[in-house]
Amino acid sequence: MKSLLSCIALLAGFCLAADSPYGVCAHLQRWEYDRASEELKLMKAGGIDHVRFDLDWDALETAPGVWNFDKMDSLAAMARENGIRILPILAYDVKWATPAWKHLPEFLNYVETAVRRYGDVMPCVEIWNEPNLPGFWRGKPSGTEYASLLVPAYRKIKELNPGITVAYGGTSLIPLDYIEESFKAGAAQAMDVMCIHPYRCNEMPEEYLPSDLAALRKLMDQYGAGDKPVWFSEMGYSTVERLPYLSLLLPRLFAALKMEPQKTTCVIFRDAGYRYDSEGLGFRIQDELPSLKAVRPIALKELKRLAAGTDTLLVLPDNESFPSEFLPDLIGYLRRGGRVLSPGGLPLYFDLRRDESGALRKIQVNEKYMKELHLGWYTFWTRPGTPEKLAEQEFAEPYATGMASLPVNGFRFFDRANPAAGDRFEPVLYGRSGDFRGVTAGVYHFDSDLKGKIAVCGNLNPGVPEKKQAEFLPRTMLIAFASGVERIYWYSFRSTERSRFDGEAHFGIVRSNLTPKDAYRAYRTLSELHPAGSSRPELRSDGTLYIANWKTPGNVPAAAVWNIAGERAVRLKIKSGRLTAVHDHLGRELKLPPEDSVLSFSASPGILYFSGVEL
């Protein structure tokens, strides 16, 4: 009888898991396999009901017709035991059939084999991972080519088992042009779920996520897929330690600019209307250069009137974005001889635009504005022969005196691709890999129609402190749920911690030794207070204060409140219900009795949850 009850309980858990919005990414089939059983138990204890990982074709079929199911059989059994559903990524290739989209019979045989064997524990499958990236697609990405793989895979799976959910391969970010190209080729009707990976990197989730999701939904509506669910099959924040290079690099960039920090006023953007701030989650110019004379914030509209001078430096953010509406003003500033610092990544790689509803959207525009700024850049995905990894970075002469090489994380290269007569480019920092040497930081000196200077640094610092990771996780999820996203696979469960400065090694919500980080506690708290089966949150904001309301499965009201700009004193009236408990984002219970149905408290970037009431 006990065994029968256990089976019934497990089946009931599986039914609940099928509708749960809570998932996570893990490489259980690779380096995490030895501790997979422990991880799955820890996932379940954290309220996580779904796990996503690659069901690598070359690991399953080791030679034509030779199959190795041992590891996957074991993982399937572990998942069943813990009541966790697997979302397998059916992807990549084998030596005798690459690229996969040109070898459909072989690929479809692999798909059929996987679905027949594991359909019970993986009732949904994802066809490929980030097909819009060259490294995963095994060549130049093409939405049309992806559709030529997805459409027959979808048909094959539905022939085998119509009940299996087929998910579009999660794209890196939300590349609408690529997605539309695939939709035109039939992908919109060859999926049950749309998957995306809308990473924010150095941005808060509130900034553009709702408008980006609205744009995706509009495109899906246009191609007859508007009623299909959207999932984040990856989303997360790395807690990698920020590289300590700016404090070493900036004095050398100042020297190349012919400027002295102690005589320089740095002008930074702080624009509430565009949520555009030069000083982001981990970058503050005065922390890197304490000797600066002054720091002065301006709004974007003030750029048109900003005086240029040898003692003034305009600082862009390190998130590669700029609103093109103000590009003429930036060019005008450079024509007046203005000096600009881009402290990280590619300047103007993303455009910030308002759509017809007035919502802000962040749109990838690549090199669109580089010619106007006389800048040139390249990466491994734009120029063949460019390394994907660097061994070291070293300063150029005459800036190398007494200086060893700098550590490397993400990076971009700069060159003289778009010069005008009279312009010159001065290297300050090089990146090396074997015989390759490219400029990762330098100064463009203009003496053409532009008369100013731009100092650029291609290094990226994508990490956030662990405290922020724990704050962003539930905020991201509630914003996504409020925007109609039905499931999220957080990336990732466990950190490799293989390298101090490797961003990929620190996405986990538990450490390499399985010790939970605060983000794990935040996940568990959200899954308990917004359990599977809760209503879609209703979200409102006055600019910095966010309030989400929902009903739990028992039709009990609940709410969450947070403020994205530090501490803020608030007074909120209880609209209905009776307050039964208050918890912070890490699950700690707080005492906060209402006075005459009014709650007075301090809202902060960490969510406060209110059980039993609508606010």
Side-chain angles (χ1 to χ4, degrees):
M1 179 63 71
K2 183 176 180 181
S3 175
L4 177 60
L5 290 174
S6 298
C7 290
I8 292 172
L10 181 58
L11 288 172
F14 250 42
C15 291
L16 289 173
D19 296 325
S20 169
Y22 298 114
V24 75
C25 298
H27 295 99
L28 297 181
Q29 85 294 7
R30 296 180 187 166
W31 68 275
E32 297 175 66
Y33 178 71
D34 289 345
R35 303 191 70 178
S37 180
E38 295 173 78
E39 289 191 41
L40 287 163
K41 287 180 173 59
L42 197 55
M43 289 176 196
K44 197 65 176 180
I48 296 165
D49 298 304
H50 302 273
V51 63
R52 172 184 182 262
F53 57 79
D54 304 281
L55 186 55
D56 304 286
W57 183 7
D58 61 354
L60 210 60
E61 188 176 13
T62 55
V66 178
W67 299 88
N68 182 351
F69 300 112
D70 292 348
K71 185 177 285 188
M72 188 57 201
D73 283 354
S74 174
L75 289 171
M78 293 181 209
R80 290 188 193 100
E81 181 183 344
N82 287 281
I84 289 179
R85 301 274 188 151
I86 296 172
L87 173 62
I89 309 165
L90 303 183
Y92 314 128
D93 48 25
V94 287
K95 289 183 288 187
W96 63 90
T98 183
W101 68 277
K102 289 186 177 180
H103 295 81
L104 285 176
E106 295 91 337
F107 180 75
L108 294 178
N109 182 52
Y110 148 67
V111 169
E112 179 174 353
T113 302
V115 168
R116 284 189 183 279
R117 192 173 186 92
Y118 302 113
D120 66 327
V121 75
M122 52 180 217
C124 47
V125 297
E126 187 175 2
I127 307 300
W128 219 265
N129 174 64
E130 299 187 345
N132 62 315
L133 293 186
F136 287 115
W137 189 240
R138 314 299 200 220
K140 184 178 180 181
S142 161
T144 301
E145 289 176 4
Y146 175 64
S148 75
L149 182 82
L150 175 64
V151 171
Y154 177 85
R155 290 172 179 162
K156 171 61 70 174
I157 292 167
K158 292 301 181 179
E159 287 173 9
L160 295 167
N161 186 341
I164 287 182
T165 297
V166 179
Y168 186 108
T171 55
S172 174
L173 307 180
I174 312 177
L176 295 181
D177 290 346
Y178 175 92
I179 294 170
E180 183 169 17
E181 182 186 346
S182 76
F183 282 4
K184 286 179 178 178
Q189 280 66 52
M191 66 175 188
D192 301 310
V193 172
M194 182 70 208
C195 287
I196 53 173
H197 301 169
Y199 288 102
R200 303 289 100 175
C201 292
N202 290 350
E203 297 170 356
M204 294 185 291
E206 293 80 7
E207 292 187 298
Y208 311 107
L209 190 54
S211 56
D212 286 350
L213 290 169
L216 174 63
R217 181 61 70 184
K218 181 179 179 181
L219 181 65
M220 292 172 65
D221 287 340
Q222 183 181 340
Y223 285 89
D227 60 338
K228 297 183 179 182
V230 173
W231 293 354
F232 292 176
S233 54
E234 285 184 28
M235 179 62 179
Y237 287 87
S238 174
T239 60
V240 64
E241 183 177 342
R242 289 182 66 87
L243 291 170
Y245 64 82
L246 277 178
S247 59
L248 303 172
L249 174 61
L250 286 177
R252 290 164 170 80
L253 287 176
F254 265 71
L257 287 164
K258 302 294 189 288
M259 301 178 77
E260 299 176 43
Q262 61 271 23
K263 297 180 181 178
T264 300
T265 294
C266 278
V267 176
I268 62 172
F269 289 113
R270 191 166 292 159
D271 193 295
Y274 272 84
R275 292 186 177 174
Y276 191 73
D277 198 325
S278 297
E279 298 187 322
L281 300 177
F283 169 66
R284 185 171 176 270
I285 187 67
Q286 207 148 23
D287 289 344
E288 310 296 345
L289 274 178
S291 60
L292 283 172
K293 177 183 177 182
V295 175
R296 179 165 68 92
I298 64 169
L300 283 158
K301 65 182 181 181
E302 297 177 72
L303 178 57
K304 183 180 293 187
R305 301 185 300 275
L306 182 63
T310 58
D311 58 354
T312 300
L313 182 65
L314 178 67
V315 182
L316 302 179
D318 65 353
N319 62 13
E320 304 187 299
S321 68
F322 189 81
S324 61
E325 176 184 347
F326 298 94
L327 181 60
D329 299 336
L330 180 61
I331 292 173
Y333 177 67
L334 288 167
R335 285 177 176 157
R336 298 194 297 274
R339 301 180 181 205
V340 177
L341 169 66
S342 175
L346 301 172
L348 284 80
Y349 187 67
F350 295 99
D351 186 4
L352 305 183
R353 301 178 194 164
R354 294 195 184 278
D355 62 20
E356 58 272 17
S357 70
L360 280 172
R361 291 203 52 233
K362 184 176 181 179
I363 301 169
Q364 184 174 323
V365 293
N366 302 325
E367 72 283 354
K368 181 176 181 179
Y369 302 119
M370 292 302 97
K371 287 187 178 180
E372 294 180 71
L373 293 170
H374 302 191
L375 306 179
W377 60 261
Y378 62 100
T379 67
F380 69 87
W381 68 82
T382 65
R383 185 177 298 180
T386 304
E388 295 187 32
K389 296 183 179 180
L390 293 178
E392 62 180 2
Q393 292 185 109
E394 61 186 19
F395 285 107
E397 295 294 344
Y399 307 108
T401 306
M403 189 61 241
S405 65
L406 290 178
V408 183
N409 197 330
F411 54 90
R412 316 288 191 236
F413 296 106
F414 296 94
D415 62 10
R416 302 172 177 84
N418 297 303
D423 294 346
R424 66 185 179 90
F425 178 50
E426 180 181 4
V428 174
L429 184 67
Y430 289 104
R432 284 187 174 275
S433 177
D435 295 332
F436 176 90
R437 188 175 80 155
V439 180
T440 54
V443 174
Y444 288 88
H445 301 270
F446 303 127
D447 192 14
S448 52
D449 59 313
L450 305 182
K451 298 297 180 183
K453 303 175 187 290
I454 298 182
V456 292
C457 173
N459 288 332
L460 296 170
N461 250 329
V464 299
E466 288 189 15
K467 178 176 182 290
K468 288 294 180 186
Q469 183 193 40
E471 292 171 353
F472 288 169
L473 184 152
R475 284 162 48 182
T476 298
M477 290 191 172
L478 286 176
I479 291 166
F481 296 155
S483 298
V485 174
E486 294 191 11
R487 186 178 299 168
I488 296 175
Y489 292 82
W490 196 260
Y491 191 90
S492 61
F493 188 66
R494 181 181 173 194
S495 291
T496 69
E497 298 175 349
R498 63 192 172 212
S499 171
R500 182 179 171 192
F501 296 115
D502 181 356
E504 181 66 24
H506 297 273
F507 272 95
I509 60 174
V510 302
R511 304 186 195 285
S512 180
N513 64 4
L514 298 186
T515 302
K517 293 158 71 172
D518 277 350
Y520 174 87
R521 300 179 181 92
Y523 201 143
R524 182 179 60 201
T525 302
L526 175 65
S527 67
E528 289 174 352
L529 299 176
H530 180 274
S534 294
S535 66
R536 175 174 167 176
E538 295 181 0
L539 186 67
R540 68 182 193 272
S541 170
D542 69 358
T544 67
L545 186 71
Y546 284 76
I547 302 169
N549 284 284
W550 63 88
K551 296 286 183 65
T552 65
N555 204 35
V556 177
V561 180
W562 68 96
N563 189 60
I564 64 173
E567 297 282 338
R568 173 177 168 181
V570 297
R571 284 173 55 83
L572 292 176
K573 184 174 179 59
I574 295 175
K575 294 183 177 180
S576 65
R578 183 177 65 84
L579 185 67
T580 58
V582 180
H583 294 86
D584 70 8
H585 68 295
L586 300 180
R588 296 171 296 208
E589 189 165 2
L590 308 175
K591 298 298 182 185
L592 192 62
E595 297 179 7
D596 297 324
S597 297
V598 173
L599 289 165
S600 299
F601 59 95
S602 179
S604 73
I607 286 177
L608 286 181
Y609 295 97
F610 299 84
S611 299
V613 295
E614 178 186 0
L615 298 179

